[in-house]
Amino acid sequence: MDRATARPAAGGAGVALSFDRLIPDGQLRVTKEIIGRGANGIVYVGFLKQPSGEEEPVAVKTLAPGATDEEHGDFFKEFSIMWEASKACPGVAQVHGCSKRGNALCIVMRRYSHSLRDHLEVPLDAPRGTPR
């Protein structure tokens, strides 16, 4: 299946994971190197083990431990939107799946050399691909 779903856990006690694209333990290695921060978590450098045994560099967006039910819901919405965008526009977004890092939920995605913000801040007359 190519679908990611999540739902509140029974009795409102957190969130139950039901991801068809859940990355198994042992296939994801997350470093301590921070490459971004957001309102609900931190983005780390990671490496996703491929079937060949090679490790692909990835970005691992985490949802902070202790996040509220609303933040969990927002995280799942973001994952679902990114997943659909990844399937529709693989050159723009590439999401590998979801994982857990300790008690923190993670979205595992392709690691790009520049952020969209870096790209958009480049003056129009500058060569593309170079942040200012």
Side-chain angles (χ1 to χ4, degrees), residues 17-19 26 29 38 46 50 54 56-57 64 68 74 78-79 85 91 102-104 113-114 120 128 131-132:
L17 284 176
S18 177
F19 283 101
R29 180 171 60 90
Q50 299 299 309
E54 293 185 40
E56 177 184 347
T68 66
D74 289 347
E78 179 180 2
F79 177 82
N103 290 328
S113 59
H114 299 78
L120 293 174
R128 286 287 157 191
R132 65 173 164 151

Side-chain angles (χ1 to χ4, degrees), residues 7-126:
R7 59 182 171 70
V15 178
L17 284 176
S18 177
F19 283 101
D20 296 323
R21 291 294 184 184
L22 185 63
I23 296 171
D25 290 340
Q27 286 189 341
L28 180 65
R29 180 171 60 90
V30 182
T31 72
K32 293 180 181 180
E33 182 180 348
I34 296 172
I35 55 176
R37 292 181 187 271
N40 298 324
I42 300 172
V43 182
Y44 294 92
V45 171
F47 295 91
L48 182 62
K49 192 173 190 177
Q50 299 299 309
S52 66
E54 293 185 40
E55 290 187 323
E56 177 184 347
V58 293
V60 181
K61 183 172 188 173
T62 62
L63 179 63
T68 66
D69 285 345
E70 181 179 353
E71 290 168 333
H72 275 92
D74 289 347
F75 182 85
F76 291 124
K77 284 179 196 172
E78 179 180 2
F79 177 82
S80 296
I81 290 167
M82 290 174 68
W83 182 257
E84 292 302 318
S86 180
K87 290 190 318 185
C89 306
V92 175
Q94 186 176 5
V95 177
H96 296 289
C98 193
S99 187
K100 287 188 80 176
R101 181 173 187 240
N103 290 328
L105 296 173
C106 306
I107 297 173
V108 181
M109 62 193 100
R110 177 178 174 190
R111 182 165 179 215
Y112 295 90
S113 59
H114 299 78
S115 71
L116 177 59
R117 181 178 180 171
D118 291 339
H119 182 74
L120 293 174
E121 288 181 344
V122 174
L124 291 176
D125 59 347

